[in-house]
Amino acid sequence: MGLTSGTGPAEADATAGISVSAVTVFCGASPGRLPGHLHTAAELGSALAGAGVRLVYGGARTGLMGAVADGALAAGGAVTGVVPRALLPYEITHTGLTELQVVADMHERKARMAELGDAFVTLPGGLGTAEELFEALSWAQLGLHRKACLLLDLFGYYRPLLAFLTHARDEGFLRAGDLERVRVCESTHEVMARLSGVETEEPRGAVPT
């Protein structure tokens, strides 16, 4: 189904006919210190729902994970959560989702989330979020998928991580092309434009020039 961000007729025309039916979002189950992180997560969920795109995420009701799911649900969107069976007793699973898939373990969770989404968007998070992002990038490097990998970073949370990737390139452990596999976005609008195949005015990879 076509993607539109709902900001105007010209933008709707630019995104008409683009087929992205589901997006996998990686983010933390904690809210972080800046209230803006929660707002951004909810805004992303709402934007995906408004575009008719299913949200696929880790299934929690807390932190940024809960905010992105609630944002999508409040806007009438479809949300699929993927939860390892071992986490169910901790009572952090979202109970109001369109669909909840319970899998055997964390490995199956990541594989299922990768399978269900047509693209990846990463918001701030901790070790699990970083692991999911790097796995998606590693699989892209190996040619296992060609899905977009977008980093939504309004407040510079991932700046140190991007600096590390630059360092890895300079030390000869990454190629310049590897850094282009992740696109840094500074707004939800930019995420939706990239998911729709609309290039922004200033293309950005993982490493600012």
Side-chain angles (χ1 to χ4, degrees):
M1 62 185 64
L3 272 176
T4 60
S5 65
T7 58
E11 189 168 304
D13 291 343
T15 60
I18 303 298
S19 179
V20 176
S21 61
V23 169
T24 295
V25 174
F26 302 136
C27 58
S30 297
R33 291 186 176 181
L34 292 179
H37 291 318
L38 285 172
H39 174 77
T40 300
E43 184 180 67
L44 176 62
S46 179
L48 291 173
V53 177
R54 174 178 289 270
L55 166 67
V56 178
Y57 85 117
R61 59 174 172 79
T62 59
L64 270 61
M65 293 175 73
V68 70
D70 288 340
L73 292 168
V79 181
T80 295
V82 184
V83 179
R85 186 170 291 107
L87 292 185
L88 291 178
Y90 291 96
E91 298 182 350
I92 62 170
T93 301
H94 201 303
T95 58
L97 303 179
T98 311
E99 178 186 26
L100 181 66
Q101 297 192 15
V102 180
V103 296
D105 52 36
M106 295 294 287
H107 296 291
E108 187 177 349
R109 179 201 220 179
K110 290 187 293 181
R112 184 71 56 82
M113 290 173 66
E115 174 189 354
L116 293 174
D118 301 317
F120 303 102
V121 178
T122 303
L123 290 161
L127 294 177
T129 302
E131 179 190 23
E132 291 166 335
L133 169 64
F134 276 111
E135 186 165 81
L137 292 175
S138 296
W139 290 353
Q141 183 188 53
L142 294 171
L144 299 180
H145 72 79
R146 299 185 63 183
K147 301 176 182 181
C149 297
L150 308 180
L151 197 65
L152 179 52
D153 190 18
L154 275 68
F155 305 103
Y157 175 79
Y158 282 111
R159 204 166 290 144
L161 179 63
L162 302 180
F164 162 73
L165 293 177
T166 303
H167 176 66
R169 178 201 62 189
D170 293 344
E171 290 292 321
F173 289 100
L174 288 177
R175 299 183 299 272
D178 294 331
L179 302 181
E180 293 300 317
R181 299 184 191 281
V182 59
R183 293 288 180 173
V184 182
C185 300
E186 296 178 353
S187 68
T188 299
H189 170 77
E190 186 177 354
V191 168
M192 300 308 295
R194 289 194 180 279
L195 290 175
S196 304
V198 178
E199 190 60 65
T200 55
E201 292 182 5
E202 182 182 353
R204 285 186 297 275
V207 182
T209 55

